[in-house]
Amino acid sequence: MSTTAETHEFQAEIAQLLNIVIHSLYTDKEIFIRELISNAADATEKLKFLQTSGTAIFEPDRELQIALATDETAHTLTITDAGIGMTRDELIENLGTIAHSGSKAFLEQIKASAAKSGGTGAAEIIGQFGVGFYSAFMVATKVTVFTRSYQPDETGWIWTSDGVSSYEIEPGNDLPRGTKIVIHLKEEDQDYATPRRVESIIKRYSNFVGFPITLNGETVNTINALWTRNKSEITDAEYEEFYKFIGHDFEAPAYRLHFSADAPLAIRALLFVPQHSREKLGMPKTESEVHLYCRKVLIQSKSKGLFPEWLRFLKGVVDSEDLPLNISRETMQDSALLQKLNKVLTTRFLKFLDEQAKADPDKYATFFREFGHFLKEGIVSDFTHRDALAKLLRYETSTSETPVALADYVARMPEDQKEIYFLSGPTREACLASPYYEGLHAKGREVVFLLDPWDEFVMEHLHEFEGKKLVPAEKAEVTLDAKEGALDADTARLLANFIKETLGDKVDEVRVSTRLVDSPAAIAESEGMTASMRRILKNLNRDEANPFKQHLEINPAHPMIAGLEKLRHADAALAAQVAAQIHDNALISAGLLEDPQAMLKRINALLEQLVTR
Ligand code: ADP
Ligand code: MG
């Protein structure tokens, strides 16, 4: 050491605190680079601020950039900035005192003077906690800081420490303005002197820091933190380029939402919806690609918990000044702050979708085809946003081949209709041909068609929409006027009893229908379970033979049923076969027939009787 070097001991509690910072505050050692770059950016930002306020500055023309240099032989990493630098007193105060943030003091100072002059302060400054600098000691045996203040009558100083018990200060007379920090790496951390490693860390955390960052002379970062700029100053092409960059996509986004909020949290968000769902293409489960920043510095990439699972198709950036930068990632995950952010962001995004749907229904229809099942997943798995999500659903109906919103359906419900009817089927044609549709159709009711088997669970979870119950067509109470030529009530009842007797355990009950028009019979809803739901459940537990009770309803006005009534008196055995076939036909129509072989035998026997008659 030179003779002019002075040694300063860290205070006992400071040495202890230092120990905590180095060993347990951060989960990833690599973030020391993020912290030092953030400090360099802060120092540069402060210089810019002083420049614009007309303060006299030493070496006013030095380029404002942050330069990193690796030395694989000396095992050092060096970070140089042309920021405000530090005087001797500032060195002692800022780096000699842990948890003292010169940045915080600077902010308070300019806030105070801004309040006097009516201007705004420099809100771009990152540091506030006063511990970031010490993260360097996670990887360093020794850190040397060469610094010279912007103040013209100051001189340079050199600060050195092993981060254990003391630091030294000596004069470093003709240094350039700003700060150079040399990290002497521990043996096990020497890969932080490898250019490839350092470059990837810069790109990861500091890509959008607002000054050029160079590594061994080459510019590394992208600088343009689009989300922090004013919407009106950004072109579509810029948005698209940014999306492709951070979203790793080659297509333009389908939607973008750029917004900022001050309350309840300070947020700037730039969110994108891709044109295509990769999951729909059969790719594995999408991982959220929304990254969490604090003042342009990455806190967590692909942030978990920032949005609900079912919005995992979103890409983009959320930046919140309210986030503690120095927090470790594990703590981030369950923090109440994150939950608050989640709620605000999700609500805002769903409102955005609703606005888009109204503004351009065709475009929204395309989005819904691609991402609708994510929204349905939201309804089934998360009640927080259920109402907002219900508004975003789109379905075909019996009167509209173009999918419509449930709100549109409700708006055109006739006054005497109190419920929303829905019907599941594999295709629109199947729904239109369904026996459950007949009665509602005859009554002039519009029916929502569910063509995706899971939609029935969506309805189950929604239960109602705008105060109107969602009712499966099977359960709809429809009473059509008795038709001419129909069996009278008593005769129909007796026939129903006969059918129940012949079918035995295969059905639980045979009823006389008041709603069938074209079909002779149908499987009726029972135990609150519709046919399609039973179909899904049956597929889930294949072994259990017919675990659900079934009701059959017969159409007393259908010629086949009227004929069966006559036949049972003339040829009871043949009538029993016809009854069994009518039951099987109803099962086929409901997609519930289990054993076509038995049915084929019977139908062949029936045909034989017909042709040999
Ligand atoms: P924070 O950034 O949260 O304030 P740090 O421990 O990272 O805390 O830094 C402590 C203080 O040291 C900063 O507030 C700043 O005053 C000073 N400092 C650190 N790095 C630099 C630098 N490159 N140039 C000028 N001052 C710096
Ligand atoms: Mg800092």
Side-chain angles (χ1 to χ4, degrees), residues 35 38-39 42 127-128 130 132-133 325:
E35 294 297 327
S38 295
N39 284 350
D42 279 354
Q128 302 231 355
F133 172 77
L325 180 64

Side-chain angles (χ1 to χ4, degrees), residues 112-179:
S113 67
K116 263 186 247 157
S117 64
T120 53
E124 300 279 292
I125 290 165
I126 305 160
Q128 302 231 355
F129 300 91
V131 290
F133 172 77
Y134 288 94
S135 63
F137 289 106
M138 291 190 292
V139 298
T141 51
K142 186 172 92 171
V143 175
T144 311
V145 179
F146 302 83
T147 187
R148 190 203 192 282
S149 167
Y150 71 95
Q151 298 170 53
D153 50 356
E154 282 292 336
T155 53
W157 293 93
I158 301 166
W159 179 102
T160 311
S161 177
D162 58 3
V164 180
S165 58
S166 64
Y167 60 91
E168 275 165 16
I169 292 187
E170 60 186 307
N173 295 321
D174 45 0
L175 292 172
R177 184 197 74 223
T179 305

Side-chain angles (χ1 to χ4, degrees), residues 204 271 286-294 298-309 311-320 323 327-335 337-339 341-342 345:
R204 182 171 169 77
L271 303 171
T286 306
E287 230 190 321
S288 168
E289 274 189 73
V290 182
H291 312 295
L292 184 59
Y293 284 76
C294 172
L298 183 74
I299 301 294
Q300 196 178 44
S301 104
K302 298 186 177 180
S303 185
K304 292 259 178 332
L306 196 53
F307 280 97
E309 268 276 297
L311 284 180
R312 60 187 174 275
F313 58 87
L314 283 177
K315 297 182 177 206
V317 168
V318 171
D319 193 318
S320 176
L323 291 170
I327 208 154
S328 69
R329 298 205 217 168
E330 275 86 315
T331 358
M332 224 17 250
Q333 305 227 355
D334 44 25
S335 94
L337 196 63
L338 198 61
Q339 282 174 25
L341 264 177
N342 181 315
L345 290 166

Side-chain angles (χ1 to χ4, degrees), residues 35 39-40 42-43 46 81 84-86 94-95 100-104 127-134 179 181:
E35 294 297 327
N39 284 350
D42 279 354
K46 289 171 198 168
D81 66 65
I84 56 167
M86 283 176 271
N94 296 337
L95 303 187
H100 174 90
S101 171
S103 288
K104 196 169 180 183
Q128 302 231 355
F129 300 91
V131 290
F133 172 77
Y134 288 94
T179 305
I181 299 177

